[in-house]
Amino acid sequence: HLIGRYLPTVVHELGHAFTAGALGGRPQQITISLNTSGLAYFHPPENWGRVRATLVFIAGYLAPPIAALAAVMAAQAGFPQSWFLFSTGVLAIAIVFLVRNIWGFIWTAAIVAGCYFSVRYLPADLIANSVPVIAGYLSVEGFRDARNQQKIIKWSPGSGCDAECIARYWRLKPVMVGRVHTLLVAVIGGIALKLAIEPYWSEIYQWGEKIVSSRTIERLLP
């Protein structure tokens, strides 16, 4: 977790950067800090408008659960390795064009190198089975980050978090925007988790039954 906890941050900032680029902006750089915070810098065009700006700011927290959902769907369609390679390629592109601070560069380069050697030397089944695990991790951490944003809004008003930026465009309360953010993340991440767990539900149910029955027997024994 000490290493992996930066992954949702990188995906979050890539969500901002890629959405800005897709909507006519110019992504400039991404920084990833040791405290797992991050920033995505981009140059908006003159005719940016609040709709496109809102989409860019909302894309950050939605990026991890959307990536998780894509990973699960790719795995269930029989293409887990393709998703793994695609994700590694995205991180490699981020190193070349976007990540500019030292820690962000070191972490991202280490992950890309680890993925490269994993594809070369680890069994294909192991890589395929790791994709749903990564998806679940992104879903859970994405939800935790969205919840943390709500705490930031409450305890550190004026911090400039994504919800506050959106609220300024539409003259809304940041608290409400933060809640909507969290709800969207929970829904998308929940769908990803459901799809990931569904094929193994019978095994999980049997495992739970065994635990319950064994504890019942322990209580009944003198």
Side-chain angles (χ1 to χ4, degrees):
H1 177 66
L2 291 175
I3 297 173
R5 63 187 182 145
Y6 295 97
L7 179 61
T9 303
V10 174
V11 175
H12 177 116
E13 303 307 335
L14 286 174
H16 285 312
F18 286 175
T19 305
L23 295 178
R26 188 178 66 194
Q28 294 176 314
Q29 67 175 5
I30 287 174
T31 61
I32 307 298
S33 302
L34 278 169
N35 63 357
T36 70
S37 64
L39 281 173
Y41 299 90
F42 54 88
H43 181 71
E46 293 182 1
N47 60 341
W48 188 245
R50 62 180 180 176
V51 173
R52 283 190 287 181
T54 299
L55 291 174
V56 171
F57 282 114
I58 204 172
Y61 283 102
L62 296 186
I66 289 174
L69 182 59
V72 173
M73 293 177 69
Q76 293 187 350
F79 304 105
Q81 289 178 295
S82 299
W83 182 87
F84 193 86
L85 291 171
F86 170 77
S87 302
T88 304
V90 170
L91 291 176
I93 291 171
I95 294 174
V96 176
F97 295 105
L98 292 171
V99 179
R100 289 294 174 266
N101 68 314
I102 296 298
W103 172 244
F105 182 86
I106 291 173
W107 183 89
T108 311
I111 294 300
V112 170
C115 291
Y116 171 76
F117 286 108
S118 296
V119 170
R120 288 202 62 179
Y121 299 109
L122 292 181
D125 289 345
L126 183 60
I127 295 174
N129 292 332
S130 70
V131 171
V133 176
I134 296 171
Y137 185 77
L138 282 173
S139 295
V140 172
E141 290 300 307
F143 180 75
R144 287 179 60 185
D145 289 342
R147 289 285 295 157
N148 286 335
Q149 180 184 226
Q150 288 187 276
K151 295 178 183 178
I152 292 171
I153 294 169
K154 182 178 180 180
W155 300 110
S156 301
S159 63
C161 62
D162 295 344
E164 288 185 339
C165 294
I166 295 171
R168 282 199 300 270
Y169 282 115
W170 298 94
R171 297 181 181 177
L172 300 171
K173 292 183 178 180
V175 173
M176 186 185 72
V177 178
R179 288 173 180 170
V180 172
H181 237 151
T182 304
L183 178 62
L184 291 173
V185 170
V187 170
I188 299 171
I191 293 172
L193 286 174
K194 180 180 180 296
L195 291 176
I197 294 173
E198 208 166 29
Y200 310 101
W201 180 245
S202 59
E203 289 88 346
I204 294 172
Y205 183 77
Q206 292 173 5
W207 175 71
E209 276 191 328
K210 288 180 182 178
I211 292 176
V212 172
S213 60
S214 64
R215 289 181 177 176
T216 303
I217 293 172
E218 288 176 358
R219 284 198 301 267
L220 294 175
L221 288 175

